[in-house]
Amino acid sequence: MAAFRQPSDRVNFRHVASRTKSNYRGKPITPIEAPTGLDPKLVALGRRLFHDPRLSRDGTVSCASCHDLSQGGDDGQCFSIGVDGQPGDINAPTVFNSALNIAQFWDGRAANLRQQVDGPIHHPKEMASDWAEVLQRIGNDASLTAAFASAFGGPATAERVRIAIEAFETSLATLNAPFDGWLQGDDDAVSKEALEGFELFKRHGCISCHQGEAVGGNLFQRLGVMREYFVASRELRPSDLGRFNHTQREQDRHVFRVPSLRNVALTGPYFHDGSALNLEDAVHVMLHYQVGADEPDLAEIRKIVVFLNTLTGDTPKETL
Amino acid sequence: MSHHRLASWGPLGVLSGAVLGFAFWSLLDRGVGLETLHNKIDNAAVELRTATKAVQRLASGQAWDYDALTAASKRLRKNAESLRQTLLSYDPDAELVTVDPLAFLLRDIDEIEQFKTDHSVYRNATRAADNALRGLTEAFETESPSTAIDLLPIADTIHRARVLGGVTPGELKEASQELNWVLGQTPGDSPNKAVLASVARYLTTIRDRDAILETVAALDASVAGDCLEIALASVHHALTERSNNDAVRQRIFIVLLVAALTYGGLLINRQRQTAGELATLNAALERRVSERTQDLAAEHHLIESLITAAPNGVFWKDTNGVYLGCNRAYARLVEFDDEESIVGLSDEHLPWEDESRIKKLAIEEELLRSGEAVTNRVAAKRLKSGVQRELVVSKAALTGDDGSITGIVGVYTDVTELNRLRDRVQNGDRLQAVGQLAAGIAHEINTPIQCAAANLTFLRDAVATLLGIAESCQRDHHAEAPTETTRPAADWTRMLERLKQHAPAAIEESDVAIGRVTEIVRAMRVMSHPGTAAKELVDLNTLVESAATISRNRWKYTAELQLDLDPELPLLPVLTNDISQLVLNLIVNAADAITEVRAEDDPLGTIRVATRVESDGVLIEIADNGGGMTPEVKRRMYEQFFTTKEVGKGTGQGLAISHDIVVTKHGGRIECDSELGEGTTFRVWLPMADAPAEPESADERHEAVDDPQDLLAASPGAVY
């Protein structure tokens, strides 16, 4: 008898976010915890699929094209490049720690990672493919078909591709960030300047949204709370409507998922429109529009950036 | 006949099944679905309470990050999705459910998300405004003390607003108006004006989100639970209503039920008629089989009595004087409890008084040397206990195939008692023994005689009737017209018809019955002079098949008989009649065992008879799935006269005889596995090589009886 259980199509990942966490230094930020309960076979299969350009129509774009695991889990572009070299119309969010998000995509239109998979595969400016095509290509690859048989006991289906990719992406947690070390009691893990930056981060109210294990990611917020961000002078793109595109509710206009600040130093350019090229700019914009600081102090911004750099964790092992 | 039975029950079974299935479908399918739905709604309600608690912790400032609420919201969404699937499977057209629990849940999930969005801003704005106002009141204390006093209630309101539920939207509006007034009063050159303006902006931001104050109240857990319950009730109501609309289904159900019952009734009626006819046929056959069985039982009773249970002590030993065996009478004679204990001993170990032993051994030594048999020697032997026995002793040498002497067989007839009785009453007891025997024989003969007598009575009446008819005919012949007393011709015709129908059978039956009596008498003669019935090479499969055929009406209403006969079976040297009877006994027993436990409507039991070659012999296996035996019954089953059957049905001979046939006559083995409630399996193994059969030859016995000198001292078996 095989010692392991074959995962079914109804696999559910218990995620770390559902666990009760101890109170780290009484802070609203808690360390990243390693995901548990993942089937190594599923993760390995998901990793292959994640790097497989055959998921796109012309075989040029894989998930990893825009979510480069060596580059902080995104591509460093304002807008990502899809099939036929077309630019997309939104900034690629990082894939790291994405299982912690309240929902997927900037506008949260996918409730979870499994549902998210269909988005880029069908998006005409991303992979521009469809399941029939993808499954046919997988079916033609004996080795990949064997991997599916080993992980699921059967051939590839759309749901099984989703499950495998979900498993792999769930495994992409960035552990051991210096700030997590400090939260867990290592006073020397971060510099004094970083701690001053953390104090400023709290005093200015950034912490209101950027809290929890992912330092954000777990709620939606309007871009432009204290000041109007989308002013008449700015050219308005469809993606700027944010969550409104998904819900059609007026209160969701310009509302986006608050991004996680984990590994934020690696994931520029920033915001859904990639409009801030570096962290200093991004912090400046946030202080001005979101918390309503009149004249942000540059020295303070620098300290906040030093703090943000301590949120960079280890790139997940065996993912490159 | 069993095919006919199956054929008539089949459609009824199918129909009943269909009706029952329909009944379950029409009564139960709604309930099952509702239970699943109910569970899922319960789960969602529990999750909603968790989420509500998380909201309250955030609202009261006990929790700061949104992870717990986010996790609850994710789970709630999963619950909602699962609920959606159930509702869809249940009510695909969404036409029944007017209050949608799913919509209710999704609205709550949206409210939770909106709460996080608004709460994060509200929380930050109240904090920022609170801090700013604290600085402002200090600043205004020097610049404009009255303004500082004006700001106090505003500061208080905003401070209280930091905890959700600490303020009402009305208070916030009041504070906002107050602040705008203060802002208007403050001169443009005041250094604090910008700060005041920012506080005003914060206050606007807060008021824009004062809806969350109501969200917290709206998410009250008990309200949530109630709403879900109402939703469930609505679903329940809608579905029940739809069920009621399916009254047509119930009407079809009733019509089908009535049809099924009517059809079933007709079938049962026909079944009864058939069973009645069968019973008549059966009774005749059964009577014959039971008569035959009783005959056989009696036959073996006699043989058993003659050989095994005879009061003659029989022993046999090897050339060294070591006992190889003896019968019970011999064991009793030498004061042993059972015959097995003597095996392996020699006379030194038996409680003979010395003189008796020396004499015995001397005779036996002489016998071994000369090979000459000793017959009917009268001897008195004493035991150490002082008991003296008067014995008639016969001893002979046992010889091997090559004629060499291999041991001694001895027969001791204890005539102590007989001699004593002879002294007292010459004839009385012996006549009594004969009388007892006669009573047994009378019982055997009684049944056929009664049958014959009954038929004779009938025939007597028949003859009377015939005579009546004859006379009447005669009178009619002489009279011109039929007299008044004459019976109508139709009556005569009917009576004649009846006679024609029954009289030949009555004569036939009487004939058969008297034949039986003759047979019994003949059998008794055979019993009393059992010839050396030789073993013949026989195909056991044929025997088994014959026995199965003969016994057919004993099992066919009770069980299905499966034959699993090894076609490669070699011919076996057996006593054909004995083995036939053995197999018959075991099959009839199996059928009885099934009948005892089987209710009338139960499926037929199974009797399985198999033959196969096994270790230099043939194994006959007879298995039933009847009631099995208790350990007590199993222990006693080979005992004579032991029976579990009703009085008049079993003689208690069958298994005792079977055992004797197998072990004594054929040197085989009979084994029995029986599990109470599971069934019984008998295994009879018969050896391929001819085993030593009759322990003593008829010639020797005649010799003993014929000796006039010891006639009275001989075995009472002689009276048979």
Side-chain angles (χ1 to χ4, degrees):
Chain A
M1 287 294 276
F4 65 91
R5 198 171 50 83
Q6 292 284 359
S8 75
D9 287 6
R10 291 169 59 80
V11 142
N12 285 316
F13 298 115
R14 281 169 52 78
H15 198 270
V16 287
S18 65
R19 284 193 251 127
T20 315
K21 281 175 282 190
S22 49
N23 196 3
Y24 297 96
R25 294 194 183 221
K27 302 303 179 213
I29 295 177
T30 50
I32 290 264
E33 289 181 25
T36 57
L38 291 174
D39 179 349
K41 277 193 177 177
L42 279 182
V43 172
L45 177 59
R47 178 183 306 129
R48 280 182 73 171
L49 293 167
F50 190 84
H51 290 90
D52 197 331
R54 285 174 299 181
L55 263 54
S56 64
R57 193 195 67 218
D58 60 359
T60 58
V61 178
S62 71
C63 305
S65 303
C66 301
H67 302 284
D68 187 339
L69 303 182
S70 63
Q71 302 286 322
D74 69 355
D75 56 3
Q77 309 275 337
C78 289
F79 299 129
S80 301
I81 307 299
V83 290
D84 303 330
Q86 314 173 66
D89 48 20
I90 204 152
N91 181 267
T94 178
V95 70
F96 288 153
N97 307 311
S98 53
L100 298 175
N101 290 335
I102 172 69
Q104 303 302 328
F105 299 118
W106 278 100
D107 56 12
R109 64 182 181 274
N112 51 50
L113 283 171
R114 204 182 293 186
Q115 286 180 22
Q116 180 272 342
V117 174
D118 283 44
I121 285 185
H122 290 118
H123 198 292
K125 287 183 176 177
E126 296 181 17
M127 290 173 161
S129 187
D130 63 66
W131 281 116
E133 207 172 329
V134 169
L135 293 177
Q136 195 193 345
R137 288 181 194 172
I138 292 173
N140 290 340
D141 182 335
S143 140
L144 201 50
T145 302
F148 269 96
S150 162
F152 291 100
T157 62
E159 186 66 1
R160 286 170 176 174
V161 172
R162 291 186 198 110
I163 289 171
I165 291 179
E166 178 188 33
F168 172 64
E169 291 179 344
T170 305
S171 78
L172 298 176
T174 58
L175 308 174
N176 305 321
F179 190 71
D180 285 350
W182 180 79
L183 285 173
Q184 283 162 314
D186 180 359
D187 289 338
D188 300 328
V190 297
S191 65
K192 186 166 165 289
E193 201 179 8
L195 287 180
E196 286 170 13
F198 179 47
E199 286 309 311
L200 289 166
F201 185 81
K202 288 194 286 180
R203 202 172 76 206
H204 283 296
C206 312
I207 195 80
S208 285
C209 292
H210 294 284
Q211 34 59 52
E213 188 175 344
V215 200
N218 56 3
L219 75 160
F220 295 97
Q221 192 51 272
R222 183 184 151 90
L223 180 52
V225 170
M226 294 302 293
R227 289 192 171 85
E228 203 53 56
Y229 180 84
F230 297 96
V231 288
S233 61
R234 202 186 280 263
E235 188 198 345
L236 203 64
R237 274 182 293 261
S239 60
D240 290 335
L241 293 177
R243 198 159 164 70
F244 178 84
N245 285 330
H246 175 50
T247 65
Q248 305 297 315
R249 295 187 307 190
E250 198 47 46
Q251 69 259 39
D252 286 332
R253 190 180 291 270
H254 304 316
V255 168
F256 298 88
R257 187 189 65 207
V258 173
S260 162
L261 295 186
R262 292 280 175 183
N263 311 296
V264 69
L266 304 177
T267 59
Y270 301 99
F271 307 132
H272 73 286
D273 53 7
S275 59
L277 294 179
N278 57 51
L279 263 184
E280 282 79 5
D281 284 353
V283 173
H284 192 281
V285 167
M286 283 288 106
L287 289 176
H288 182 69
Y289 290 101
Q290 296 302 91
V291 301
D294 287 328
E295 308 237 341
D297 181 313
L298 291 184
E300 286 185 355
I301 290 176
R302 265 197 298 278
K303 282 180 182 172
I304 291 175
V305 169
V306 170
F307 157 68
L308 292 178
N309 269 279
T310 67
L311 294 173
T312 302
D314 295 345
T315 297
K317 287 196 189 81
E318 295 181 70
T319 54
L320 299 179
Chain B
M1 271 309 180
S2 61
H3 281 291
H4 174 75
R5 265 169 81 121
L6 278 182
S8 42
W9 282 107
L12 180 63
V14 169
L15 194 62
S16 316
V19 168
L20 279 179
F22 191 88
F24 273 108
W25 172 62
S26 52
L27 297 175
L28 289 182
D29 65 336
R30 302 283 158 211
V32 172
L34 274 185
E35 198 172 311
T36 315
L37 192 63
H38 207 146
N39 283 345
K40 293 202 168 168
I41 286 185
D42 277 353
N43 290 343
V46 168
E47 214 51 76
L48 196 54
R49 280 177 175 80
T50 312
T52 306
K53 215 167 223 174
V55 165
Q56 283 163 348
R57 284 172 61 80
L58 284 161
S60 63
Q62 282 173 281
W64 227 93
D65 65 72
Y66 296 117
D67 279 352
L69 183 56
T70 302
S73 151
K74 279 178 167 180
R75 288 197 301 271
L76 201 52
R77 195 176 284 282
K78 209 173 262 177
N79 281 335
E81 177 56 26
S82 163
L83 192 56
R84 190 177 70 83
Q85 302 282 0
T86 309
L87 273 175
L88 268 183
S89 71
Y90 210 75
D91 182 24
D93 307 327
E95 58 185 8
L96 297 181
V97 183
T98 48
V99 180
D100 185 359
L102 180 64
F104 175 80
L105 273 182
L106 290 176
R107 201 192 64 219
D108 271 0
I109 293 167
D110 282 345
E111 276 193 14
I112 287 168
E113 289 311 321
Q114 193 62 47
F115 170 80
K116 287 195 283 185
T117 302
D118 290 343
H119 177 254
S120 60
V121 171
Y122 177 96
R123 180 168 66 181
N124 196 43
T126 47
R127 183 191 57 85
D130 191 26
N131 288 347
L133 270 176
R134 221 175 279 169
L136 274 179
T137 27
E138 275 177 31
F140 274 114
E141 266 169 21
T142 47
E143 191 188 314
S144 164
S146 68
T147 311
I149 290 167
D150 288 339
L151 283 177
L152 277 176
I154 304 173
D156 175 58
T157 303
I158 289 188
H159 187 72
R160 280 188 289 116
R162 289 187 71 171
V163 172
L164 261 66
V167 292
T168 61
E171 285 178 299
L172 283 175
K173 186 183 175 191
E174 215 171 281
S176 183
Q177 285 166 348
E178 195 76 18
L179 188 65
N180 282 337
W181 184 80
V182 173
L183 198 58
Q185 296 295 305
T186 310
D189 59 349
S190 165
N192 297 313
K193 180 135 185 171
V195 183
L196 262 179
S198 80
V199 172
R201 223 164 50 232
Y202 281 130
L203 201 49
T204 309
T205 309
I206 292 166
R207 287 189 57 209
D208 282 349
R209 286 156 181 84
D210 63 9
I212 63 167
L213 300 176
E214 279 157 20
T215 309
V216 176
L219 280 174
D220 181 78
S222 61
V223 176
D226 290 350
C227 287
L228 279 176
E229 288 303 323
I230 291 167
L232 178 66
S234 135
V235 173
H236 195 289
H237 178 71
L239 291 173
T240 312
E241 221 159 60
R242 185 160 80 172
S243 293
N244 290 343
N245 290 341
D246 292 343
V248 176
R249 206 161 52 170
Q250 288 172 8
R251 277 202 293 278
I252 295 172
F253 171 67
I254 288 165
V255 169
L256 275 179
L257 189 66
V258 169
L261 288 175
T262 312
Y263 182 48
L266 287 174
L267 275 184
I268 288 165
N269 197 27
R270 207 172 98 201
Q271 193 74 25
R272 270 199 197 138
Q273 286 173 358
T274 315
E277 291 163 19
L278 283 176
T280 318
L281 287 173
N282 216 18
L285 282 170
E286 261 174 15
R287 200 164 54 236
R288 285 183 59 185
V289 169
S290 88
E291 279 164 13
R292 171 73 184 139
T293 312
Q294 280 176 18
D295 292 347
L296 288 170
E299 216 171 277
H300 281 277
H301 183 185
L302 293 176
I303 294 167
E304 195 78 305
S305 306
L306 283 170
I307 298 166
T308 313
N312 305 56
V314 179
F315 68 87
W316 51 102
K317 44 206 303 204
D318 64 12
T319 50
N320 295 321
V322 176
Y323 280 91
L324 297 174
C326 69
N327 71 355
R328 195 170 298 165
Y330 186 78
R332 290 225 184 93
L333 186 74
V334 294
E335 299 179 337
F336 271 65
D337 288 334
D338 60 312
E339 46 271 63
E340 278 85 35
S341 320
I342 295 178
V343 176
L345 303 179
S346 54
D347 280 304
E348 279 79 8
H349 303 108
L350 300 188
W352 301 118
E353 203 251 358
D354 285 348
E355 195 187 334
S356 295
R357 178 170 53 239
I358 290 162
K359 270 189 194 164
K360 184 179 192 296
L361 292 176
I363 291 166
E364 288 174 4
E365 257 169 54
E366 173 61 27
L367 175 63
L368 284 174
R369 219 180 4 256
S370 67
E372 278 178 34
V374 175
T375 32
N376 298 327
R377 185 173 293 183
V378 179
K381 292 207 180 294
R382 293 178 72 89
L383 295 174
K384 279 179 178 163
S385 58
V387 173
Q388 177 157 343
R389 290 276 162 204
E390 292 167 12
L391 301 171
V392 174
V393 181
S394 294
K395 284 178 186 171
L398 291 170
T399 53
D401 291 341
D402 55 354
S404 66
I405 294 170
T406 56
I408 295 170
V409 59
V411 180
Y412 281 12
T413 306
D414 188 348
V415 292
T416 318
E417 190 72 4
L418 257 187
N419 287 348
R420 193 174 63 80
L421 288 173
R422 182 183 53 185
D423 291 343
R424 215 174 67 188
V425 274
Q426 282 288 336
N427 297 317
D429 278 11
R430 192 175 146 213
L431 288 174
Q432 194 180 351
V434 171
Q436 275 173 353
L437 186 72
I441 294 165
H443 180 73
E444 290 307 316
I445 294 174
N446 190 37
T447 313
I449 288 291
Q450 271 183 348
C451 172
N455 281 318
L456 211 53
T457 310
F458 171 74
L459 287 171
R460 192 187 58 206
D461 293 348
V463 169
T465 308
L466 278 174
L467 286 177
I469 295 171
E471 277 171 24
S472 160
C473 284
Q474 215 173 11
R475 268 200 309 276
D476 287 354
H477 187 71
H478 293 298
E480 289 198 354
T483 58
E484 281 175 13
T485 52
T486 309
R487 290 202 190 194
D491 262 16
W492 293 124
T493 314
R494 209 178 57 239
M495 288 169 77
L496 268 177
E497 203 52 46
R498 189 168 153 263
L499 284 176
K500 230 193 283 178
Q501 208 179 342
H502 295 290
I507 294 167
E508 173 66 18
E509 275 177 22
S510 307
D511 197 23
V512 170
I514 290 167
R516 291 292 322 133
V517 175
T518 315
E519 251 177 68
I520 292 167
V521 172
R522 189 177 53 79
M524 282 166 55
R525 270 197 1 237
V526 172
M527 289 309 141
S528 53
H529 302 287
T532 46
K535 288 181 181 166
E536 353 169 59
L537 284 176
V538 167
D539 177 10
L540 278 185
N541 286 344
T542 315
L543 284 191
V544 169
E545 279 164 359
S546 312
T549 311
I550 290 170
S551 59
R552 186 156 176 270
N553 68 333
R554 279 300 289 272
W555 47 258
K556 67 175 174 182
Y557 301 111
T558 297
E560 187 188 357
L561 188 120
Q562 298 171 350
L563 292 179
D564 176 14
L565 306 178
D566 182 356
E568 304 295 316
L569 223 55
L571 296 181
L572 214 65
V574 297
L575 299 166
T576 316
N577 288 338
D578 284 353
I579 297 301
S580 289
Q581 193 202 341
L582 164 79
V583 176
L584 196 64
N585 267 354
L586 292 179
I587 290 175
V588 168
N589 278 355
D592 289 349
I594 292 169
T595 311
E596 265 175 42
V597 294
R598 182 174 161 274
E600 202 167 329
D601 294 338
D602 285 353
L604 288 179
T606 305
I607 301 172
R608 191 175 156 281
V609 184
T611 58
R612 63 173 183 270
V613 177
E614 194 173 291
S615 57
D616 281 341
V618 169
L619 188 76
I620 310 172
E621 196 173 272
I622 292 137
D624 68 71
N625 59 356
M629 292 187 260
T630 63
E632 162 71 8
V633 170
K634 207 177 152 188
R635 193 170 58 73
R636 298 186 57 192
M637 65 179 170
Y638 295 123
E639 276 180 33
Q640 269 203 320
F641 308 112
F642 177 77
T643 180
T644 59
K645 297 180 188 176
E646 284 171 41
V647 174
K649 281 210 170 172
T651 60
Q653 299 287 349
L655 280 176
I657 290 168
S658 300
H659 187 266
D660 185 54
I661 290 171
V662 174
V663 178
T664 316
K665 295 189 176 169
H666 291 86
R669 287 193 305 271
I670 180 163
E671 289 164 6
C672 172
D673 282 343
S674 185
E675 199 67 42
L676 198 60
E678 300 287 323
T680 304
T681 301
F682 275 97
R683 283 189 202 85
V684 173
W685 179 81
L686 299 169
M688 213 94 85
D690 197 356
E694 288 82 1
E696 59 184 22
S697 83
D699 293 343
E700 274 177 5
R701 200 185 301 171
H702 279 298
E703 202 181 312
V705 175
D706 288 348
D707 192 332
Q709 189 193 339
D710 290 298
L711 182 63
L712 279 176
S715 153
V719 300
Y720 292 112

